[in-house]
Amino acid sequence: MKNKPNIFFLLTIGCILLLILLKIFANQQYTMKNTSTQNLKSIKLYSSVTHATQTSQVQNFIKVWQFLYSFRDNKTLAYELKRKLEKQDIMKIITDYQTLSNIFKSLNYDENQKKMINEMFKNEKEFVDSITQFYLYLIISQFNESKINDLKKQKEYIKSKIYRIDPGLIERIKQKNDPELNKILSEIDKQLYQPNLSERKIKVLLAEMEKIETIINAYEQRKDDEMFKWMIENREKVLKSLIVRR
């Protein structure tokens, strides 16, 4: 008998959400039908414009790779870079472009390396941007579809430990601005988290989920572009070339 209110509460929510989802799906079908032709034209135009840009960026990656061989003659700088990279959290490097960029700006390149930078790149900014992107792609290229799928499963598992109902779904329903639904949703919000979870535990789980989302988003944003494909193809060679022996 004690479970009856909970069962009624969950059944009510389930019915409401089902009706809303059916309405949303119907609206999306109508929108997709009317915009598909226009989107196809936009994609074709985008592809033709970005191909030339990405080819140029791949050329810059090759220049960076060539430049990195100079670290074999400047081992002090190679170990300085290694120490600075090891001090950084991978999440910060992936999400904060400036953090990685500042590392390369701070290095004391020798005269030969400065000469190479001047000869191989238009200016210092292009060099810093290119080597920053190079390392960013190198870091993200350690992930593949299998690892990302595992991370997605892990994310959903963590989410299920935190929430009784997916907050993303609740937020999408709130955007409909239905006063009656909002009253119900305000009550659902009060029971959003799983029972017996402390604030500290919720905070820890949310932080872990955020890290996973960061990696997934970084991968998804780059996996189809030419620079990422180039890095995947050459990753092992690049890693071997970065080894500087004492």
Side-chain angles (χ1 to χ4, degrees):
M1 293 295 291
K2 291 181 179 179
N3 292 329
K4 281 189 175 181
N6 288 334
I7 294 172
F8 177 76
F9 174 75
L10 293 174
L11 285 174
T12 302
I13 293 173
C15 292
I16 292 171
L17 296 183
L18 180 60
L19 290 171
I20 294 169
L21 288 173
L22 287 172
K23 186 176 180 180
I24 293 172
F25 179 76
N27 289 338
Q28 287 178 336
Q29 290 292 98
Y30 176 80
T31 303
M32 288 171 63
K33 183 177 179 181
N34 286 317
T35 61
S36 59
T37 304
Q38 183 178 355
N39 287 341
L40 182 59
K41 291 179 181 177
S42 299
I43 291 168
K44 287 180 178 179
L45 176 60
Y46 176 82
S47 299
S48 64
V49 171
T50 56
H51 178 73
T53 304
Q54 290 183 343
T55 300
S56 174
Q57 289 172 319
V58 167
Q59 291 302 316
N60 279 347
F61 272 22
I62 294 171
K63 290 178 185 178
V64 170
W65 193 12
Q66 292 171 338
F67 173 79
L68 290 173
Y69 274 96
S70 69
F71 280 70
R72 294 172 180 269
D73 299 320
N74 190 345
K75 294 181 181 180
T76 300
L77 184 61
Y79 290 117
E80 181 187 349
L81 173 59
K82 184 173 181 289
R83 286 194 304 271
K84 288 186 175 183
L85 288 173
E86 287 174 345
K87 288 180 180 179
Q88 297 297 326
D89 182 273
I90 186 173
M91 296 302 116
K92 187 168 180 60
I93 289 179
I94 290 176
T95 56
D96 185 4
Y97 179 89
Q98 199 60 46
T99 296
L100 192 55
S101 179
N102 287 339
I103 290 176
F104 291 110
K105 288 179 182 178
S106 69
L107 296 178
N108 296 311
Y109 302 104
D110 63 27
E111 291 305 315
N112 180 56
Q113 289 173 318
K114 290 178 182 177
K115 182 180 178 182
M116 290 180 68
I117 292 171
N118 290 332
E119 291 176 349
M120 297 171 71
F121 300 91
K122 294 177 183 178
N123 49 50
E124 185 180 358
K125 182 181 183 304
E126 184 188 67
F127 163 70
V128 172
D129 286 345
S130 297
I131 196 169
T132 301
Q133 287 285 356
F134 184 94
Y135 267 84
L136 189 59
Y137 274 77
L138 181 61
I139 292 168
I140 297 171
S141 69
Q142 68 183 289
F143 300 99
N144 54 34
E145 289 293 336
S146 176
K147 290 180 180 178
I148 292 298
N149 286 335
D150 288 342
L151 286 174
K152 288 179 179 178
K153 291 176 184 177
Q154 187 179 348
K155 174 189 167 184
E156 291 304 314
Y157 172 71
I158 294 173
K159 187 187 288 187
S160 70
K161 291 180 68 175
I162 301 173
Y163 302 110
R164 298 175 69 179
I165 301 169
D166 187 344
L169 178 59
I170 294 175
E171 187 59 35
R172 289 193 292 275
I173 296 172
K174 283 182 178 179
Q175 291 175 4
K176 298 297 177 183
N177 293 322
D178 186 320
E180 293 302 317
L181 279 177
N182 287 340
K183 290 180 184 178
I184 298 173
L185 290 175
S186 64
E187 293 301 315
I188 295 176
D189 274 338
K190 295 176 184 177
Q191 302 188 52
L192 182 61
Y193 297 108
Q194 293 287 5
N196 303 320
L197 270 184
S198 66
E199 288 187 15
R200 180 180 175 280
K201 184 65 174 176
I202 291 173
K203 187 175 180 180
V204 169
L205 290 172
L206 286 173
E208 184 64 25
M209 193 163 70
E210 184 178 356
K211 286 184 178 180
I212 293 172
E213 287 176 342
T214 297
I215 295 173
I216 292 173
N217 291 338
Y219 176 84
E220 296 288 353
Q221 288 168 8
R222 293 169 176 84
K223 67 177 182 177
D224 294 323
D225 69 37
E226 195 169 342
M227 293 88 74
F228 191 81
K229 292 174 183 176
W230 181 91
M231 187 60 78
I232 290 295
E233 183 179 346
N234 295 282
R235 176 177 167 77
E236 293 306 315
K237 295 176 184 177
V238 168
L239 290 174
K240 287 179 180 178
S241 70
L242 295 180
I243 298 174
V244 177
R245 303 188 184 282
R246 292 185 182 274

